[in-house]
Amino acid sequence: MRVPSSSLAWNCNWCSRLKELLYHGKSQDVLFHYRELKKIGLELTDHSVFAVLLKACLNLSPTHGNSIHGSLIKQGFLAFTSLGNSMVDFYVKSGDLGSALLVFNCMPNKDSVSWNVIVHGHLERAAAAASSGRGLWFFTQAWAVGFEPNISTLVLVIQTCRNLKAFEVGQMIHGSIISAGYSSITSVQNSLLNFYAELGMQLAHNLFDEMTDRDVISWSVMVAGYAQSEEATVSLGFFKRMIDLGITPDGQSVVSVLKACSKLMAIRMGESIHGFVISRGLDYDLFVQNSLIDLYSKCNDVNSSLRVFHETPEKNVVSWNSLLSGLVQNEKHSEALILFDSMRKARVDSDEVTLVNLLQLCKSFLDPYHCKLIHSRVLRRGFELNELVTNSLIDAYASCNLINYAWSQFSIMKTQDAVTWSTMIAGFTHCGMPDEAIAVFREMSHTTERPNSITMLHLLEACSLSADLKRSRWAHGIVIRRELASDVQVGTAILDMYSKCGSVELSRKVFELIPHKNVVTWSAIITAYGMNGIPNEALALLAEMKMSGLKPNQVTALSLLSACSHGGLVEEGLSLFEELIWDHEVEPSLEHYSCLVDLLARAGKVDSAMNLIGRLRGGVKPSASAWGAVLSACRNYENYEFGASALPQVLELEPSSSAGYLLASNMYASGHSWVDASKMRMLSKERGVKVTAGYSLVYVNGKACKFLAGENHHSLSDELQFAIQQLHSCMKMDIICR
């Protein structure tokens, strides 16, 4: 290698050469020539070339930078502030914040660039909250000594305050921004808008009103902020104002307003925005298309959702999941399975959302085999530690009555959150195991997880199932201590729990204490009176409900008709049906007609019940419960002619239910048709129908004891038989006295 006679000229030549090599992307050649110069003992005296060398190191491997750092120290070049800044920037971009901080602290003269680099590095390069917090501390310290931040650093600082929810620090920085004269910069104002939108939309709204220059980002922040809050209607208002002012929305603002439409179920507005999307060419934005699929799915317009899906040219896993979720939510289970099969054929990898939707399908089909199949897919895809998937798996196993599998999955989890505990409690309750459900809740109370309103709803349901008043009072006490009793859902569940324990008085007290009653609450108290044999009080509550300004819905009507049916109030029930149904207060459904048939059949008016079945309109076909009510009445009132007509209908609609076979067998037995009665029982066995035996649940010494009908081998059977004989004697004496 030939060295020129002039050292200065030589350094200038090499500096220019290295810069040119870096400019052309030849970082490898830059470092090669530098190492060759080092080998022959020549030092570069132009300190500006070291910035070139550090950039070359970043392009290749940050490890080469350590030797450059050593040369800078050896030649004393770190005294130059610009080189110190380059060295700090090198370590920041290498992800070595510790070394960056060491160089920064050793710099004798720091300028605004120095502070911007170190602050920016801690805020942007580090993901840890602690490093972000240190970056905020550097920023406040630097500003205190008079450094001037650049716009990108200011934006990043505000964003960090938003991410850390550092409300007080953010407000302090906002004040400093105003004092320093940066408040008129649109990008800074938009960052502040984002910050306040995270903490409260009213504060963001105030700042928005103060802004003189608003761009599309400013409007988009407001549309998105209100869409994510509980004020989705305001989001739609901002979007309309944006259009009226001639500001063209971007994809982000369209996605946000579509989310607001989904929350409000505002499908007409969504369709208008869809038209706008097409007219502005935004239908090629994948995020917009996925939002449209989600909107139509949530608004129960599956056909439109499918159309958007098929019109999307480049789909991702979110597109498939959005449509799959929509099909599952709208109970299009067969279509959902076909879609998943198409997803596999398209070689789209299923993620946790896909698996959760498939588990929801298993719940709908009550299919244990497919539940296990998806569990194996969860393991193969490595999602066994994903809380959302695991909770869904527990829920699916419990819904399919595989409670042991659900419990095994629950037990192997390293950490259980409130959702997991709630799901397990609900699972045991669903499988008719209230004692186990309550035991899980007690176990949860020994952990750091606090029960929420959903947990309490599941606990109250378990207590309802156990029908134990003492336990119910205990659960009610926990609700009060957790300050959840005023919640309308929880209060309604408590009301329902007490009614199932037979304590209508307590149900009424709870009802009166609920501050804001909704139609579900009124329906629950009506049901409470009806199921406990006080139908007149149930009917009286309808007038009170209307006076409170609420209209009865389909569930209310069903509760009232059921009360009349169980109370034998035929005329009142028919009159109520006329009032609610024919006056168009409630749209009649199959359940209402079935309840009316049950009302007539229970009262022995079997012919009227059959006439009603014959007069059903609009393609409405009587349900198995309606035909079952007729069959039961035929048994009680020995009307075998109508019974013969009802029987095939019951067996056709519910071939796997034991109720129809038992009713038919009992009807034939009551008419001494022993051959026919025997045939019914034989038919039940041939079809493999499992007979659910009737039982009584009695608490003995704090433990629930189940006594099956006809059982004679129970541990308490002797005492039980003696008690039953005494009760029968008392009943006979009562009849004689009458």
Side-chain angles (χ1 to χ4, degrees), residues 249-315:
D250 58 4
Q252 181 58 50
S253 54
V254 171
V255 167
S256 298
V257 78
L258 287 172
K259 182 184 289 185
C261 291
S262 297
K263 281 189 174 183
L264 297 169
M265 300 288 285
I267 190 168
R268 295 289 170 262
M269 181 67 180
E271 288 172 339
S272 300
I273 294 168
H274 190 179
F276 173 84
V277 164
I278 295 170
S279 67
R280 295 303 173 98
L282 290 170
D283 50 334
Y284 287 97
D285 187 319
L286 183 57
F287 292 101
V288 172
Q289 292 294 90
N290 289 344
S291 298
L292 283 167
I293 295 169
D294 182 64
L295 164 74
Y296 286 124
S297 295
K298 287 179 178 173
C299 292
N300 305 319
D301 188 351
V302 177
N303 291 332
S304 295
S305 186
L306 279 163
R307 188 176 68 251
V308 175
F309 176 81
H310 290 305
E311 290 172 355
T312 304
E314 295 292 332
K315 305 174 184 68

Side-chain angles (χ1 to χ4, degrees), residues 598-636:
D598 184 62
L599 168 72
L600 294 167
R602 280 175 182 268
K605 299 180 180 292
V606 183
D607 52 345
S608 298
M610 291 295 287
N611 287 334
L612 177 61
I613 288 174
R615 288 189 286 110
L616 291 180
R617 299 177 297 179
V620 177
K621 294 182 179 180
S623 64
S625 61
W627 284 114
V630 171
L631 191 59
S632 179
C634 291
R635 180 200 64 183
N636 294 334

Side-chain angles (χ1 to χ4, degrees), residues 64 125 149 173 191 263 270 278 293 303 315 381 401 430 438 447 460 511 593 599 626 651 662 710 727 730:
H64 298 307
R125 307 297 295 183
I173 291 171
S191 298
K263 281 189 174 183
I278 295 170
I293 295 169
N303 291 332
K315 305 174 184 68
R381 300 283 296 137
N401 293 310
H430 171 79
I438 293 167
T447 68
L460 294 168
F511 174 79
Y593 288 115
L599 168 72
L651 298 184
L662 292 175
L727 287 170
C730 293

Side-chain angles (χ1 to χ4, degrees), residues 319-370:
S319 316
W320 290 89
N321 284 337
S322 297
L323 183 59
L324 185 63
S325 298
L327 292 172
V328 173
Q329 289 167 14
N330 288 279
E331 298 183 356
K332 303 286 184 180
H333 301 139
S334 300
E335 292 88 339
L337 287 175
I338 294 169
L339 180 72
F340 176 66
D341 188 53
S342 301
M343 186 177 177
R344 284 194 304 108
K345 289 177 181 176
R347 299 187 181 280
V348 179
D349 285 337
S350 54
D351 61 7
E352 61 269 33
V353 178
T354 317
L355 294 170
V356 167
N357 278 308
L358 292 175
L359 289 168
Q360 287 294 316
L361 278 176
C362 290
K363 282 180 60 180
S364 303
F365 287 125
L366 298 177
D367 189 342
Y369 171 74
H370 281 96

Side-chain angles (χ1 to χ4, degrees), residues 310-530:
H310 290 305
E311 290 172 355
T312 304
E314 295 292 332
K315 305 174 184 68
N316 61 6
V317 68
V318 177
S319 316
W320 290 89
N321 284 337
S322 297
L323 183 59
L324 185 63
S325 298
L327 292 172
V328 173
Q329 289 167 14
N330 288 279
E331 298 183 356
K332 303 286 184 180
H333 301 139
S334 300
E335 292 88 339
L337 287 175
I338 294 169
L339 180 72
F340 176 66
D341 188 53
S342 301
M343 186 177 177
R344 284 194 304 108
K345 289 177 181 176
R347 299 187 181 280
V348 179
D349 285 337
S350 54
D351 61 7
E352 61 269 33
V353 178
T354 317
L355 294 170
V356 167
N357 278 308
L358 292 175
L359 289 168
Q360 287 294 316
L361 278 176
C362 290
K363 282 180 60 180
S364 303
F365 287 125
L366 298 177
D367 189 342
Y369 171 74
H370 281 96
C371 199
K372 294 176 184 178
L373 204 63
I374 295 167
H375 190 180
S376 66
R377 183 180 289 271
V378 168
L379 296 173
R380 288 198 304 273
R381 300 283 296 137
F383 288 119
E384 64 271 19
L385 298 179
N386 184 289
E387 290 183 359
L388 178 63
V389 173
T390 308
N391 290 338
S392 298
L393 190 58
I394 293 169
D395 186 37
Y397 272 138
S399 298
C400 295
N401 293 310
L402 297 175
I403 193 64
N404 291 333
Y405 285 89
W407 178 249
S408 297
Q409 195 64 29
F410 176 84
S411 301
I412 63 175
M413 290 180 69
K414 291 182 179 179
T415 57
Q416 293 109 345
D417 60 10
V419 176
T420 312
W421 287 99
S422 301
T423 305
M424 196 66 244
I425 294 166
F428 275 122
T429 304
H430 171 79
C431 293
M433 304 168 72
D435 293 348
E436 288 78 359
I438 293 167
V440 171
F441 179 84
R442 291 184 187 276
E443 188 178 340
M444 179 185 180
S445 64
H446 296 303
T447 68
T448 55
E449 285 295 331
R450 298 297 90 193
N452 54 29
S453 57
I454 303 298
T455 316
M456 296 312 304
L457 285 171
H458 293 317
L459 175 66
L460 294 168
E461 188 179 353
C463 292
S464 296
L465 187 62
S466 71
D468 182 1
L469 189 57
K470 185 178 179 181
R471 278 180 171 178
S472 298
R473 288 178 180 273
W474 163 75
H476 190 182
I478 295 172
V479 169
I480 293 170
R481 288 194 295 275
R482 298 293 302 168
E483 297 181 349
L484 295 169
S486 59
D487 182 284
V488 65
Q489 276 187 295
V490 176
T492 303
I494 296 169
L495 182 163
D496 181 66
M497 174 183 68
Y498 280 133
S499 73
K500 287 175 180 174
C501 293
S503 181
V504 185
E505 299 81 5
L506 288 175
S507 288
R508 187 60 188 249
K509 284 182 180 179
V510 172
F511 174 79
E512 298 296 345
L513 290 172
I514 297 174
H516 303 290
K517 304 172 183 66
N518 59 20
V519 67
V520 180
T521 313
W522 282 95
S523 299
I525 191 64
I526 289 169
T527 302
Y529 278 105

Side-chain angles (χ1 to χ4, degrees), residues 565-586:
S565 178
H566 288 281
L569 304 180
V570 179
E571 296 303 322
E572 290 85 346
L574 292 171
S575 175
L576 179 72
F577 190 81
E578 292 281 342
E579 179 186 344
L580 295 177
I581 306 300
W582 303 126
D583 290 348
H584 305 291
E585 285 197 29
V586 176

Side-chain angles (χ1 to χ4, degrees), residues 60-243:
L60 293 174
S61 172
T63 55
H64 298 307
N66 293 328
S67 63
I68 308 295
H69 189 183
S71 296
L72 287 173
I73 295 172
K74 181 180 176 182
Q75 293 180 249
F77 284 156
L78 280 181
F80 292 98
T81 303
S82 60
L83 266 185
N85 291 342
S86 295
M87 200 72 241
V88 173
D89 184 58
F90 167 79
Y91 280 124
V92 163
K93 289 176 179 175
S94 302
D96 188 353
L97 289 177
S99 297
L101 192 55
L102 284 172
V103 176
F104 177 81
N105 289 333
C106 292
M107 289 176 63
N109 299 304
K110 303 178 182 73
D111 60 9
S112 290
V113 175
S114 317
W115 284 101
N116 274 307
V117 170
I118 198 69
V119 170
H120 211 281
H122 276 84
L123 295 176
E124 187 179 58
R125 307 297 295 183
S131 296
S132 298
R134 196 180 304 122
L136 284 181
W137 181 83
F138 272 120
F139 179 81
T140 54
Q141 293 298 308
W143 207 331
V145 297
F147 108 101
E148 295 182 5
N150 58 32
I151 301 305
S152 64
T153 301
L154 270 179
V155 169
L156 195 56
V157 164
I158 298 165
Q159 183 182 333
T160 302
C161 291
R162 176 178 177 267
N163 294 339
L164 297 177
K165 300 192 186 315
F167 184 57
E168 293 182 2
V169 177
Q171 282 193 314
M172 181 188 72
I173 291 171
H174 186 185
S176 300
I177 286 170
I178 295 171
S179 302
Y182 291 108
S183 59
S184 60
I185 300 170
T186 305
S187 59
V188 174
Q189 287 182 316
N190 287 339
S191 298
L192 285 167
L193 265 184
N194 254 317
F195 166 71
Y196 285 118
E198 182 72 20
L199 302 168
M201 283 310 299
Q202 187 55 54
L203 294 170
H205 204 145
N206 294 340
L207 178 60
F208 181 84
D209 289 341
E210 293 171 5
M211 291 173 65
T212 53
D213 295 318
R214 303 171 186 136
D215 60 9
V216 65
I217 297 174
S218 316
W219 286 93
S220 295
V221 169
M222 297 305 292
V223 172
Y226 276 116
Q228 290 168 3
S229 70
E230 297 301 317
E231 299 178 88
T233 307
V234 183
S235 175
L236 297 184
F238 265 94
F239 188 81
K240 289 176 182 176
R241 284 174 59 194
M242 187 178 180
I243 300 293

